[in-house]
């Protein structure tokens, strides 16, 4: 299973961006999507999760501004980011928990990062 993240870029403070994450591979099912971010010199931070059939959860730093959504039939997740601030500047990573249908084995998958830069 592979994840492909996209949608990063440069935006002014107060602006919006939407990140996408698409999972591909054979015979799998995604159970949870998550978005993390890592700013320069800081640890990777979990910012949003969406479970199949469940609710979304957010870190306090993004709650009310970011929205995670998952289309589990299409193995795709989105992160809508509004009211962006310079402190949101980071590399954003998509993560998913997947189950391989043939073996019922669970695995965690990371996508490559996508850079979001918010200018003041």
């Amino acid at each position: 299973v592979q994840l492909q993240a996209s949608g990063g870029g440069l935006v002014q403070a107060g602006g919006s961006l939407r990140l996408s994450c698409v999972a591909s591979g054979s015979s799998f099912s995604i159970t949870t999507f998550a978005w993390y971010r890592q700013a320069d010199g800081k640890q990777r931070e979990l910012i949003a999760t969406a479970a199949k059939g469940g609710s979304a959860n957010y870190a306090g730093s993004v709650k009310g501004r970011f929205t995670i959504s998952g289309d589990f039939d299409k193995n795709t997740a989105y992160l809508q980011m509004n009211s962006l601030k310079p402190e949101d500047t980071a590399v954003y990573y998509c993560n998913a928990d997947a189950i391989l249908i043939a073996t019922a084995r669970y695995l965690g998958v990371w996508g490559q990062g996508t850079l979001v830069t918010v200018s003041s």
Side-chain angles (χ1 to χ4, degrees):
V1 180
Q2 294 183 323
L3 296 179
Q4 180 71 41
S6 61
L10 174 63
V11 64
Q12 288 189 330
S16 298
L17 279 176
R18 188 174 84 152
L19 306 183
S20 299
C21 174
V22 181
S24 60
S26 299
S27 301
F28 68 95
S29 178
I30 301 294
T31 59
T32 304
F33 277 110
W35 287 95
Y36 289 73
R37 68 183 181 187
Q38 187 167 20
D40 277 348
K42 295 189 177 181
Q43 289 189 327
R44 192 170 295 190
E45 171 191 22
L46 173 62
I47 57 172
T49 61
K52 187 175 184 179
S55 59
N57 290 284
Y58 300 93
S61 57
V62 305
K63 197 169 186 178
R65 299 187 298 121
F66 291 11
T67 302
I68 185 173
S69 58
D71 185 338
F72 290 89
D73 289 336
K74 295 183 179 179
N75 296 318
T76 302
Y78 304 97
L79 184 69
Q80 178 67 43
M81 305 185 294
N82 298 328
S83 302
L84 283 160
K85 305 174 183 180
E87 52 263 44
D88 294 318
T89 294
V91 177
Y92 284 70
Y93 296 91
C94 179
N95 170 270
D97 291 333
I99 180 169
L100 301 180
I101 295 172
T103 62
R105 175 188 165 206
Y106 280 88
L107 71 161
V109 189
W110 287 94
Q112 91 292 358
T114 184
L115 177 62
V116 172
T117 303
V118 184
S119 63
S120 57

